[in-house]
Amino acid sequence: MTDNENITEHGLTLVLGGTGKTGRRVVERLEALDVPVRMGSRSADPAFDWEDKATWTAVLRGVERVYLVYYPDLAVPGAPGAIRAFTAAAVDAGVRRVVLLSGRGEDEARACERIVQGSGLDWTIVRSSWFAQNFSEDYLLEPVRAGEVALPAGDVPEPFVHLDDVADVAVAALTEDGHTGEVYEVTGPRALTFAEAVAEIGRAAGREIAFVPVGARDYATALAGHGMPADIVEFLIYLFTTVLDGRNTPTTDGVRRALGREPRDFVDYARETATSGIWKELDQS
Ligand SMILES: NC(=O)c1ccc[n+]([C@@H]2O[C@H](COP(=O)([O-])OP(=O)(O)OC[C@H]3O[C@@H](n4cnc5c(N)ncnc54)[C@H](OP(=O)(O)O)[C@@H]3O)[C@@H](O)[C@H]2O)c1
């Protein structure tokens, strides 16, 4: 990673969650543009930890722009306080521009957006629908590989977004003029139910993958049995039972408005991910 003290015309950009699903893609794109990047995560040097404000000053020193990703989610208790404290520290450190990754349809995330909008920083909000890559880079990978995805998701369609689109929008907002004060609500070009998404993945991977609807309590018990921390289990149940009620089904024009092109389709995601071999059956990999 570049941690360049000689700030170019773009200035030093801090990418929080820089090793995560969206942050990694944002870092790759910024480095390709020769933008000096500082990673912000517990494993970076200097380390950044949301739980330890003492780490923030060194990480913010000399930074002009920030890709702001909160972990685990803007909808968890404690997020607004952390976002308020972090944006105040960013202003004190001389940061000028912030691009916030937010979640669609979450009142708590909306409260965090308002804090960023009132921070005094130049801001852009990237308000994202459900990531397609949750099926390949997060908690849904293991069930896909095992051949059965059991979720408390009924027939509500979700316009899954490709993370390359999220990263493209974030990088445009970080590096180009004309995105300040914009809320880009980003989705894929069509909504699929979870059953349809799993069927697309099965077709692309060339194998049978079952989708099994389950009750929320059974799902919570299964996640806890796999050792998932209680707060993450609670958050996932909230997502499936409260946020996945149809409020996020309509597609939006956020990718087109930000980038002047259409978003990638879920089928493109499924085909390219299948090519990597990551969805092979567990005993074949
Ligand atoms: N999943 C979805 O479908 C979805 C949809 C809309 C919005 N979102 C939003 O996406 C955000 C998550 O982004 P992501 O998926 O790109 O991240 P992610 O893949 O969950 O990656 C986590 C990143 O955060 C870092 N991290 C973990 N704990 C940390 C801590 N205590 N302090 C500082 N850094 C920490 C990790 O690095 P280290 O381990 O090195 O610290 C890693 O770089 C959430 O805020 C969520 O609201 C998600």
Side-chain angles (χ1 to χ4, degrees):
M1 281 323 118
T2 323
D3 190 352
N4 194 339
E5 294 299 322
N6 300 315
I7 298 174
T8 69
E9 56 179 319
H10 286 299
L12 180 60
T13 299
L14 172 64
V15 179
L16 297 185
T19 56
K21 295 187 293 300
T22 65
R24 180 170 59 76
R25 289 173 165 84
V26 169
V27 167
E28 282 168 10
R29 284 160 172 75
L30 291 175
E31 290 188 334
L33 293 169
D34 284 333
V35 175
V37 172
R38 177 177 292 158
M39 303 280 280
S41 85
R42 296 165 304 174
S43 52
D45 183 17
F48 173 83
D49 190 343
W50 279 110
E51 306 296 324
D52 181 5
K53 284 184 191 159
T55 64
W56 299 3
T57 308
V59 171
L60 282 166
R61 193 167 295 130
V63 168
E64 187 185 284
R65 301 167 191 216
V66 178
Y67 176 58
L68 177 47
V69 174
Y70 184 69
Y71 185 88
D73 197 283
L74 289 180
V76 304
I83 297 297
R84 185 170 285 107
F86 180 81
T87 49
V91 170
D92 289 347
V95 172
R96 298 219 311 263
R97 182 183 295 193
V98 64
V99 175
L100 174 71
L101 176 63
S102 183
R104 223 176 153 213
E106 300 172 353
D107 294 343
E108 302 83 348
R110 204 61 65 86
C112 293
E113 291 177 11
R114 284 194 289 272
I115 292 166
V116 170
Q117 289 166 330
S119 65
L121 298 161
D122 289 346
W123 57 266
T124 306
I125 309 290
V126 182
R127 187 187 290 155
S128 177
S129 57
W130 213 292
F131 300 162
Q133 275 79 0
N134 289 335
F135 289 100
S136 47
E137 300 177 26
D138 213 316
Y139 59 99
L140 297 177
L141 172 60
E142 200 187 318
V144 170
R145 282 161 61 90
E148 182 180 293
V149 180
L151 290 173
D155 293 332
V156 178
E158 168 71 24
F160 298 95
V161 69
H162 195 305
L163 285 187
D164 286 353
D165 286 338
V166 175
D168 285 347
V169 173
V171 168
L174 284 166
T175 60
E176 298 171 1
D177 292 334
H179 301 286
T180 297
E182 295 287 346
V183 177
Y184 292 124
E185 198 156 345
V186 293
T187 71
R190 67 191 170 110
L192 295 83
T193 64
F194 276 77
E196 289 167 341
V198 168
E200 292 286 10
I201 290 170
R203 259 192 294 282
R207 49 179 293 230
E208 196 69 31
I209 301 167
F211 175 79
V212 182
V214 294
R217 278 303 115 208
D218 289 343
Y219 184 58
T221 305
L223 291 179
H226 279 85
M228 191 173 276
D231 56 338
I232 307 285
V233 172
E234 198 179 318
F235 169 66
L236 287 174
I237 296 298
Y238 161 76
L239 277 187
F240 280 108
T241 58
T242 305
V243 182
L244 190 67
D245 64 354
R247 73 184 73 177
N248 287 342
T249 296
T251 58
T252 61
D253 64 354
V255 170
R256 194 178 333 120
R257 276 204 303 121
L259 303 175
R261 64 158 177 80
E262 296 306 313
R264 294 166 171 86
D265 192 82
F266 192 85
V267 169
D268 301 327
Y269 157 74
R271 288 188 185 141
E272 77 202 21
T273 307
T275 308
S276 75
I278 199 170
W279 286 330
K280 283 187 182 150
E281 283 180 58
L282 285 174
D283 55 3
Q284 286 182 358
S285 54

